[in-house]
PDB file of all heavy atoms in Angstrom:
ATOM      1  N   SER A  19     -53.146  -4.210  42.764  1.00 89.00           N
ATOM      2  CA  SER A  19     -54.157  -3.709  41.835  1.00 89.00           C
ATOM      3  C   SER A  19     -54.023  -4.360  40.469  1.00 89.00           C
ATOM      4  O   SER A  19     -55.009  -4.462  39.728  1.00 89.00           O
ATOM      5  CB  SER A  19     -54.054  -2.193  41.710  1.00 89.00           C
ATOM      6  OG  SER A  19     -52.755  -1.828  41.280  1.00 89.00           O
ATOM      7  N   ALA A  20     -52.831  -4.821  40.140  1.00 89.00           N
ATOM      8  CA  ALA A  20     -52.614  -5.485  38.850  1.00 89.00           C
ATOM      9  C   ALA A  20     -52.898  -6.981  38.910  1.00 89.00           C
ATOM     10  O   ALA A  20     -52.798  -7.670  37.900  1.00 89.00           O
ATOM     11  CB  ALA A  20     -51.179  -5.261  38.384  1.00 89.00           C
ATOM     12  N   GLY A  21     -53.234  -7.472  40.096  1.00 91.00           N
ATOM     13  CA  GLY A  21     -53.567  -8.890  40.223  1.00 91.00           C
ATOM     14  C   GLY A  21     -52.434  -9.782  40.689  1.00 91.00           C
ATOM     15  O   GLY A  21     -52.586 -11.009  40.744  1.00 91.00           O
ATOM     16  N   GLY A  22     -51.301  -9.196  41.031  1.00 96.00           N
ATOM     17  CA  GLY A  22     -50.194  -9.997  41.540  1.00 96.00           C
ATOM     18  C   GLY A  22     -50.503 -10.533  42.928  1.00 96.00           C
ATOM     19  O   GLY A  22     -50.982  -9.789  43.779  1.00 96.00           O
ATOM     20  N   ARG A  23     -50.248 -11.804  43.151  1.00 98.00           N
ATOM     21  CA  ARG A  23     -50.628 -12.455  44.407  1.00 98.00           C
ATOM     22  C   ARG A  23     -49.418 -13.001  45.148  1.00 98.00           C
ATOM     23  O   ARG A  23     -48.485 -13.498  44.528  1.00 98.00           O
ATOM     24  CB  ARG A  23     -51.601 -13.610  44.142  1.00 98.00           C
ATOM     25  CG  ARG A  23     -52.946 -13.190  43.568  1.00 98.00           C
ATOM     26  CD  ARG A  23     -53.743 -14.395  43.088  1.00 98.00           C
ATOM     27  NE  ARG A  23     -55.112 -14.068  42.728  1.00 98.00           N
ATOM     28  CZ  ARG A  23     -55.473 -13.602  41.542  1.00 98.00           C
ATOM     29  NH1 ARG A  23     -54.550 -13.383  40.606  1.00 98.00           N
ATOM     30  NH2 ARG A  23     -56.741 -13.344  41.294  1.00 98.00           N
ATOM     31  N   ASN A  24     -49.493 -12.935  46.464  1.00 98.00           N
ATOM     32  CA  ASN A  24     -48.495 -13.576  47.321  1.00 98.00           C
ATOM     33  C   ASN A  24     -49.219 -14.333  48.420  1.00 98.00           C
ATOM     34  O   ASN A  24     -50.215 -13.848  48.958  1.00 98.00           O
ATOM     35  CB  ASN A  24     -47.560 -12.539  47.944  1.00 98.00           C
ATOM     36  CG  ASN A  24     -46.437 -12.156  47.004  1.00 98.00           C
ATOM     37  OD1 ASN A  24     -45.600 -12.982  46.649  1.00 98.00           O
ATOM     38  ND2 ASN A  24     -46.421 -10.916  46.581  1.00 98.00           N
ATOM     39  N   TYR A  25     -48.689 -15.509  48.733  1.00 98.00           N
ATOM     40  CA  TYR A  25     -49.294 -16.356  49.761  1.00 98.00           C
ATOM     41  C   TYR A  25     -48.246 -16.795  50.773  1.00 98.00           C
ATOM     42  O   TYR A  25     -47.081 -17.022  50.430  1.00 98.00           O
ATOM     43  CB  TYR A  25     -49.909 -17.615  49.143  1.00 98.00           C
ATOM     44  CG  TYR A  25     -51.069 -17.370  48.221  1.00 98.00           C
ATOM     45  CD1 TYR A  25     -50.884 -17.294  46.848  1.00 98.00           C
ATOM     46  CD2 TYR A  25     -52.366 -17.242  48.719  1.00 98.00           C
ATOM     47  CE1 TYR A  25     -51.951 -17.073  45.989  1.00 98.00           C
ATOM     48  CE2 TYR A  25     -53.443 -17.030  47.877  1.00 98.00           C
ATOM     49  CZ  TYR A  25     -53.231 -16.954  46.517  1.00 98.00           C
ATOM     50  OH  TYR A  25     -54.294 -16.735  45.678  1.00 98.00           O
ATOM     51  N   ALA A  26     -48.677 -16.964  51.998  1.00 98.00           N
ATOM     52  CA  ALA A  26     -47.825 -17.609  52.990  1.00 98.00           C
ATOM     53  C   ALA A  26     -47.635 -19.064  52.580  1.00 98.00           C
ATOM     54  O   ALA A  26     -48.553 -19.688  52.019  1.00 98.00           O
ATOM     55  CB  ALA A  26     -48.474 -17.528  54.365  1.00 98.00           C
ATOM     56  N   ASP A  27     -46.467 -19.604  52.850  1.00 98.00           N
ATOM     57  CA  ASP A  27     -46.194 -20.994  52.468  1.00 98.00           C
ATOM     58  C   ASP A  27     -47.211 -21.954  53.075  1.00 98.00           C
ATOM     59  O   ASP A  27     -47.576 -22.955  52.461  1.00 98.00           O
ATOM     60  CB  ASP A  27     -44.784 -21.390  52.919  1.00 98.00           C
ATOM     61  CG  ASP A  27     -43.697 -20.733  52.091  1.00 98.00           C
ATOM     62  OD1 ASP A  27     -43.998 -20.250  50.974  1.00 98.00           O
ATOM     63  OD2 ASP A  27     -42.551 -20.688  52.559  1.00 98.00           O
ATOM     64  N   SER A  28     -47.677 -21.637  54.263  1.00 97.00           N
ATOM     65  CA  SER A  28     -48.585 -22.539  54.974  1.00 97.00           C
ATOM     66  C   SER A  28     -49.964 -22.643  54.330  1.00 97.00           C
ATOM     67  O   SER A  28     -50.718 -23.571  54.648  1.00 97.00           O
ATOM     68  CB  SER A  28     -48.737 -22.091  56.426  1.00 97.00           C
ATOM     69  OG  SER A  28     -49.250 -20.769  56.488  1.00 97.00           O
ATOM     70  N   VAL A  29     -50.306 -21.710  53.432  1.00 98.00           N
ATOM     71  CA  VAL A  29     -51.648 -21.738  52.835  1.00 98.00           C
ATOM     72  C   VAL A  29     -51.617 -21.942  51.324  1.00 98.00           C
ATOM     73  O   VAL A  29     -52.668 -22.058  50.700  1.00 98.00           O
ATOM     74  CB  VAL A  29     -52.432 -20.448  53.159  1.00 98.00           C
ATOM     75  CG1 VAL A  29     -52.455 -20.200  54.664  1.00 98.00           C
ATOM     76  CG2 VAL A  29     -51.892 -19.252  52.409  1.00 98.00           C
ATOM     77  N   LYS A  30     -50.433 -21.996  50.736  1.00 98.00           N
ATOM     78  CA  LYS A  30     -50.329 -22.183  49.287  1.00 98.00           C
ATOM     79  C   LYS A  30     -51.027 -23.471  48.864  1.00 98.00           C
ATOM     80  O   LYS A  30     -50.842 -24.518  49.483  1.00 98.00           O
ATOM     81  CB  LYS A  30     -48.860 -22.211  48.864  1.00 98.00           C
ATOM     82  CG  LYS A  30     -48.196 -20.845  48.828  1.00 98.00           C
ATOM     83  CD  LYS A  30     -46.741 -20.949  48.388  1.00 98.00           C
ATOM     84  CE  LYS A  30     -46.093 -19.568  48.355  1.00 98.00           C
ATOM     85  NZ  LYS A  30     -44.644 -19.651  47.998  1.00 98.00           N
ATOM     86  N   GLY A  31     -51.806 -23.360  47.794  1.00 97.00           N
ATOM     87  CA  GLY A  31     -52.531 -24.520  47.298  1.00 97.00           C
ATOM     88  C   GLY A  31     -53.864 -24.763  47.978  1.00 97.00           C
ATOM     89  O   GLY A  31     -54.652 -25.601  47.517  1.00 97.00           O
ATOM     90  N   ARG A  32     -54.121 -24.047  49.071  1.00 98.00           N
ATOM     91  CA  ARG A  32     -55.391 -24.216  49.790  1.00 98.00           C
ATOM     92  C   ARG A  32     -56.242 -22.945  49.803  1.00 98.00           C
ATOM     93  O   ARG A  32     -57.465 -23.021  49.797  1.00 98.00           O
ATOM     94  CB  ARG A  32     -55.111 -24.643  51.240  1.00 98.00           C
ATOM     95  CG  ARG A  32     -54.354 -25.949  51.362  1.00 98.00           C
ATOM     96  CD  ARG A  32     -54.280 -26.404  52.832  1.00 98.00           C
ATOM     97  NE  ARG A  32     -53.562 -25.452  53.678  1.00 98.00           N
ATOM     98  CZ  ARG A  32     -54.098 -24.841  54.732  1.00 98.00           C
ATOM     99  NH1 ARG A  32     -55.361 -25.080  55.069  1.00 98.00           N
ATOM    100  NH2 ARG A  32     -53.376 -24.007  55.481  1.00 98.00           N
ATOM    101  N   PHE A  33     -55.586 -21.797  49.864  1.00 98.00           N
ATOM    102  CA  PHE A  33     -56.288 -20.513  49.910  1.00 98.00           C
ATOM    103  C   PHE A  33     -56.123 -19.788  48.582  1.00 98.00           C
ATOM    104  O   PHE A  33     -55.070 -19.895  47.929  1.00 98.00           O
ATOM    105  CB  PHE A  33     -55.725 -19.632  51.018  1.00 98.00           C
ATOM    106  CG  PHE A  33     -55.997 -20.092  52.428  1.00 98.00           C
ATOM    107  CD1 PHE A  33     -56.541 -21.347  52.692  1.00 98.00           C
ATOM    108  CD2 PHE A  33     -55.722 -19.263  53.492  1.00 98.00           C
ATOM    109  CE1 PHE A  33     -56.790 -21.766  53.991  1.00 98.00           C
ATOM    110  CE2 PHE A  33     -55.964 -19.650  54.795  1.00 98.00           C
ATOM    111  CZ  PHE A  33     -56.487 -20.907  55.035  1.00 98.00           C
ATOM    112  N   THR A  34     -57.150 -19.022  48.218  1.00 98.00           N
ATOM    113  CA  THR A  34     -57.100 -18.216  47.003  1.00 98.00           C
ATOM    114  C   THR A  34     -57.611 -16.819  47.303  1.00 98.00           C
ATOM    115  O   THR A  34     -58.726 -16.662  47.811  1.00 98.00           O
ATOM    116  CB  THR A  34     -57.953 -18.835  45.889  1.00 98.00           C
ATOM    117  OG1 THR A  34     -57.503 -20.176  45.625  1.00 98.00           O
ATOM    118  CG2 THR A  34     -57.829 -18.010  44.616  1.00 98.00           C
ATOM    119  N   ILE A  35     -56.796 -15.821  46.995  1.00 98.00           N
ATOM    120  CA  ILE A  35     -57.207 -14.435  47.181  1.00 98.00           C
ATOM    121  C   ILE A  35     -57.641 -13.864  45.837  1.00 98.00           C
ATOM    122  O   ILE A  35     -57.050 -14.170  44.793  1.00 98.00           O
ATOM    123  CB  ILE A  35     -56.078 -13.588  47.812  1.00 98.00           C
ATOM    124  CG1 ILE A  35     -56.607 -12.218  48.228  1.00 98.00           C
ATOM    125  CG2 ILE A  35     -54.883 -13.473  46.878  1.00 98.00           C
ATOM    126  CD1 ILE A  35     -55.626 -11.413  49.073  1.00 98.00           C
ATOM    127  N   SER A  36     -58.687 -13.041  45.869  1.00 97.00           N
ATOM    128  CA  SER A  36     -59.156 -12.376  44.656  1.00 97.00           C
ATOM    129  C   SER A  36     -59.729 -11.019  45.050  1.00 97.00           C
ATOM    130  O   SER A  36     -59.971 -10.760  46.231  1.00 97.00           O
ATOM    131  CB  SER A  36     -60.206 -13.217  43.941  1.00 97.00           C
ATOM    132  OG  SER A  36     -61.340 -13.440  44.777  1.00 97.00           O
ATOM    133  N   ARG A  37     -59.932 -10.170  44.072  1.00 94.00           N
ATOM    134  CA  ARG A  37     -60.489  -8.858  44.355  1.00 94.00           C
ATOM    135  C   ARG A  37     -61.381  -8.421  43.220  1.00 94.00           C
ATOM    136  O   ARG A  37     -61.182  -8.799  42.061  1.00 94.00           O
ATOM    137  CB  ARG A  37     -59.377  -7.837  44.616  1.00 94.00           C
ATOM    138  CG  ARG A  37     -58.466  -7.557  43.441  1.00 94.00           C
ATOM    139  CD  ARG A  37     -57.264  -6.695  43.856  1.00 94.00           C
ATOM    140  NE  ARG A  37     -57.604  -5.285  43.962  1.00 94.00           N
ATOM    141  CZ  ARG A  37     -56.745  -4.360  44.372  1.00 94.00           C
ATOM    142  NH1 ARG A  37     -55.512  -4.708  44.733  1.00 94.00           N
ATOM    143  NH2 ARG A  37     -57.106  -3.091  44.422  1.00 94.00           N
ATOM    144  N   ASP A  38     -62.361  -7.594  43.575  1.00 93.00           N
ATOM    145  CA  ASP A  38     -63.245  -6.968  42.611  1.00 93.00           C
ATOM    146  C   ASP A  38     -63.004  -5.468  42.719  1.00 93.00           C
ATOM    147  O   ASP A  38     -63.463  -4.827  43.673  1.00 93.00           O
ATOM    148  CB  ASP A  38     -64.699  -7.322  42.938  1.00 93.00           C
ATOM    149  CG  ASP A  38     -65.673  -6.780  41.905  1.00 93.00           C
ATOM    150  OD1 ASP A  38     -65.338  -5.802  41.201  1.00 93.00           O
ATOM    151  OD2 ASP A  38     -66.778  -7.331  41.802  1.00 93.00           O
ATOM    152  N   ASN A  39     -62.274  -4.930  41.767  1.00 89.00           N
ATOM    153  CA  ASN A  39     -61.908  -3.514  41.831  1.00 89.00           C
ATOM    154  C   ASN A  39     -63.126  -2.595  41.678  1.00 89.00           C
ATOM    155  O   ASN A  39     -63.105  -1.466  42.161  1.00 89.00           O
ATOM    156  CB  ASN A  39     -60.868  -3.183  40.771  1.00 89.00           C
ATOM    157  CG  ASN A  39     -59.520  -3.826  41.073  1.00 89.00           C
ATOM    158  OD1 ASN A  39     -59.158  -4.030  42.224  1.00 89.00           O
ATOM    159  ND2 ASN A  39     -58.771  -4.157  40.026  1.00 89.00           N
ATOM    160  N   THR A  40     -64.159  -3.060  41.019  1.00 90.00           N
ATOM    161  CA  THR A  40     -65.355  -2.231  40.840  1.00 90.00           C
ATOM    162  C   THR A  40     -66.118  -2.074  42.157  1.00 90.00           C
ATOM    163  O   THR A  40     -66.874  -1.123  42.328  1.00 90.00           O
ATOM    164  CB  THR A  40     -66.290  -2.820  39.784  1.00 90.00           C
ATOM    165  OG1 THR A  40     -66.783  -4.085  40.240  1.00 90.00           O
ATOM    166  CG2 THR A  40     -65.559  -3.019  38.464  1.00 90.00           C
ATOM    167  N   LYS A  41     -65.921  -3.028  43.059  1.00 92.00           N
ATOM    168  CA  LYS A  41     -66.608  -2.996  44.350  1.00 92.00           C
ATOM    169  C   LYS A  41     -65.650  -2.709  45.502  1.00 92.00           C
ATOM    170  O   LYS A  41     -66.066  -2.702  46.664  1.00 92.00           O
ATOM    171  CB  LYS A  41     -67.309  -4.335  44.606  1.00 92.00           C
ATOM    172  CG  LYS A  41     -68.396  -4.671  43.600  1.00 92.00           C
ATOM    173  CD  LYS A  41     -69.041  -6.012  43.920  1.00 92.00           C
ATOM    174  CE  LYS A  41     -70.128  -6.344  42.929  1.00 92.00           C
ATOM    175  NZ  LYS A  41     -70.748  -7.676  43.216  1.00 92.00           N
ATOM    176  N   ASN A  42     -64.368  -2.509  45.205  1.00 92.00           N
ATOM    177  CA  ASN A  42     -63.354  -2.309  46.254  1.00 92.00           C
ATOM    178  C   ASN A  42     -63.439  -3.416  47.301  1.00 92.00           C
ATOM    179  O   ASN A  42     -63.410  -3.157  48.513  1.00 92.00           O
ATOM    180  CB  ASN A  42     -63.511  -0.933  46.912  1.00 92.00           C
ATOM    181  CG  ASN A  42     -63.159   0.193  45.970  1.00 92.00           C
ATOM    182  OD1 ASN A  42     -62.288   0.067  45.124  1.00 92.00           O
ATOM    183  ND2 ASN A  42     -63.867   1.302  46.116  1.00 92.00           N
ATOM    184  N   THR A  43     -63.543  -4.631  46.827  1.00 95.00           N
ATOM    185  CA  THR A  43     -63.745  -5.773  47.711  1.00 95.00           C
ATOM    186  C   THR A  43     -62.673  -6.829  47.459  1.00 95.00           C
ATOM    187  O   THR A  43     -62.318  -7.108  46.314  1.00 95.00           O
ATOM    188  CB  THR A  43     -65.134  -6.387  47.505  1.00 95.00           C
ATOM    189  OG1 THR A  43     -66.124  -5.402  47.818  1.00 95.00           O
ATOM    190  CG2 THR A  43     -65.346  -7.593  48.416  1.00 95.00           C
ATOM    191  N   VAL A  44     -62.192  -7.411  48.546  1.00 96.00           N
ATOM    192  CA  VAL A  44     -61.226  -8.500  48.456  1.00 96.00           C
ATOM    193  C   VAL A  44     -61.817  -9.736  49.115  1.00 96.00           C
ATOM    194  O   VAL A  44     -62.558  -9.632  50.103  1.00 96.00           O
ATOM    195  CB  VAL A  44     -59.886  -8.114  49.119  1.00 96.00           C
ATOM    196  CG1 VAL A  44     -60.041  -7.827  50.611  1.00 96.00           C
ATOM    197  CG2 VAL A  44     -58.815  -9.170  48.877  1.00 96.00           C
ATOM    198  N   TYR A  45     -61.518 -10.886  48.548  1.00 98.00           N
ATOM    199  CA  TYR A  45     -62.055 -12.162  49.027  1.00 98.00           C
ATOM    200  C   TYR A  45     -60.897 -13.108  49.375  1.00 98.00           C
ATOM    201  O   TYR A  45     -59.813 -13.019  48.804  1.00 98.00           O
ATOM    202  CB  TYR A  45     -62.920 -12.818  47.953  1.00 98.00           C
ATOM    203  CG  TYR A  45     -64.020 -11.939  47.416  1.00 98.00           C
ATOM    204  CD1 TYR A  45     -63.828 -11.195  46.252  1.00 98.00           C
ATOM    205  CD2 TYR A  45     -65.245 -11.843  48.069  1.00 98.00           C
ATOM    206  CE1 TYR A  45     -64.824 -10.376  45.756  1.00 98.00           C
ATOM    207  CE2 TYR A  45     -66.250 -11.030  47.574  1.00 98.00           C
ATOM    208  CZ  TYR A  45     -66.034 -10.298  46.414  1.00 98.00           C
ATOM    209  OH  TYR A  45     -67.029  -9.492  45.924  1.00 98.00           O
ATOM    210  N   LEU A  46     -61.183 -14.011  50.279  1.00 98.00           N
ATOM    211  CA  LEU A  46     -60.237 -15.074  50.587  1.00 98.00           C
ATOM    212  C   LEU A  46     -61.023 -16.380  50.637  1.00 98.00           C
ATOM    213  O   LEU A  46     -61.802 -16.602  51.573  1.00 98.00           O
ATOM    214  CB  LEU A  46     -59.513 -14.836  51.913  1.00 98.00           C
ATOM    215  CG  LEU A  46     -58.416 -15.854  52.224  1.00 98.00           C
ATOM    216  CD1 LEU A  46     -57.250 -15.697  51.235  1.00 98.00           C
ATOM    217  CD2 LEU A  46     -57.901 -15.688  53.658  1.00 98.00           C
ATOM    218  N   GLN A  47     -60.822 -17.208  49.628  1.00 98.00           N
ATOM    219  CA  GLN A  47     -61.428 -18.531  49.603  1.00 98.00           C
ATOM    220  C   GLN A  47     -60.478 -19.490  50.303  1.00 98.00           C
ATOM    221  O   GLN A  47     -59.322 -19.646  49.893  1.00 98.00           O
ATOM    222  CB  GLN A  47     -61.657 -18.994  48.161  1.00 98.00           C
ATOM    223  CG  GLN A  47     -62.230 -20.391  48.031  1.00 98.00           C
ATOM    224  CD  GLN A  47     -63.632 -20.503  48.594  1.00 98.00           C
ATOM    225  OE1 GLN A  47     -64.465 -19.620  48.408  1.00 98.00           O
ATOM    226  NE2 GLN A  47     -63.913 -21.608  49.292  1.00 98.00           N
ATOM    227  N   MET A  48     -60.970 -20.103  51.373  1.00 98.00           N
ATOM    228  CA  MET A  48     -60.131 -20.996  52.172  1.00 98.00           C
ATOM    229  C   MET A  48     -60.687 -22.412  52.071  1.00 98.00           C
ATOM    230  O   MET A  48     -61.811 -22.676  52.513  1.00 98.00           O
ATOM    231  CB  MET A  48     -60.123 -20.519  53.626  1.00 98.00           C
ATOM    232  CG  MET A  48     -59.656 -19.086  53.808  1.00 98.00           C
ATOM    233  SD  MET A  48     -59.484 -18.581  55.527  1.00 98.00           S
ATOM    234  CE  MET A  48     -61.196 -18.618  56.044  1.00 98.00           C
ATOM    235  N   ASP A  49     -59.920 -23.290  51.483  1.00 98.00           N
ATOM    236  CA  ASP A  49     -60.301 -24.688  51.325  1.00 98.00           C
ATOM    237  C   ASP A  49     -59.346 -25.576  52.120  1.00 98.00           C
ATOM    238  O   ASP A  49     -58.266 -25.165  52.508  1.00 98.00           O
ATOM    239  CB  ASP A  49     -60.265 -25.067  49.846  1.00 98.00           C
ATOM    240  CG  ASP A  49     -61.243 -24.257  49.014  1.00 98.00           C
ATOM    241  OD1 ASP A  49     -62.376 -24.027  49.471  1.00 98.00           O
ATOM    242  OD2 ASP A  49     -60.866 -23.853  47.890  1.00 98.00           O
ATOM    243  N   SER A  50     -59.770 -26.813  52.319  1.00 98.00           N
ATOM    244  CA  SER A  50     -58.950 -27.788  53.054  1.00 98.00           C
ATOM    245  C   SER A  50     -58.438 -27.204  54.361  1.00 98.00           C
ATOM    246  O   SER A  50     -57.246 -27.311  54.688  1.00 98.00           O
ATOM    247  CB  SER A  50     -57.777 -28.257  52.180  1.00 98.00           C
ATOM    248  OG  SER A  50     -58.240 -28.823  50.968  1.00 98.00           O
ATOM    249  N   LEU A  51     -59.327 -26.598  55.092  1.00 98.00           N
ATOM    250  CA  LEU A  51     -58.921 -25.928  56.324  1.00 98.00           C
ATOM    251  C   LEU A  51     -58.404 -26.908  57.362  1.00 98.00           C
ATOM    252  O   LEU A  51     -58.881 -28.051  57.468  1.00 98.00           O
ATOM    253  CB  LEU A  51     -60.103 -25.134  56.884  1.00 98.00           C
ATOM    254  CG  LEU A  51     -60.353 -23.797  56.159  1.00 98.00           C
ATOM    255  CD1 LEU A  51     -61.760 -23.297  56.409  1.00 98.00           C
ATOM    256  CD2 LEU A  51     -59.327 -22.765  56.610  1.00 98.00           C
TER     257      LEU A  51
END
């Protein structure tokens, strides 16, 4: 909830997680798949 992020080593630098607390929604942007 404070914005702290953790990633699996296999996706670091390629995936980005974000959230919109007003919408209770989480996103996963996946690049260089």
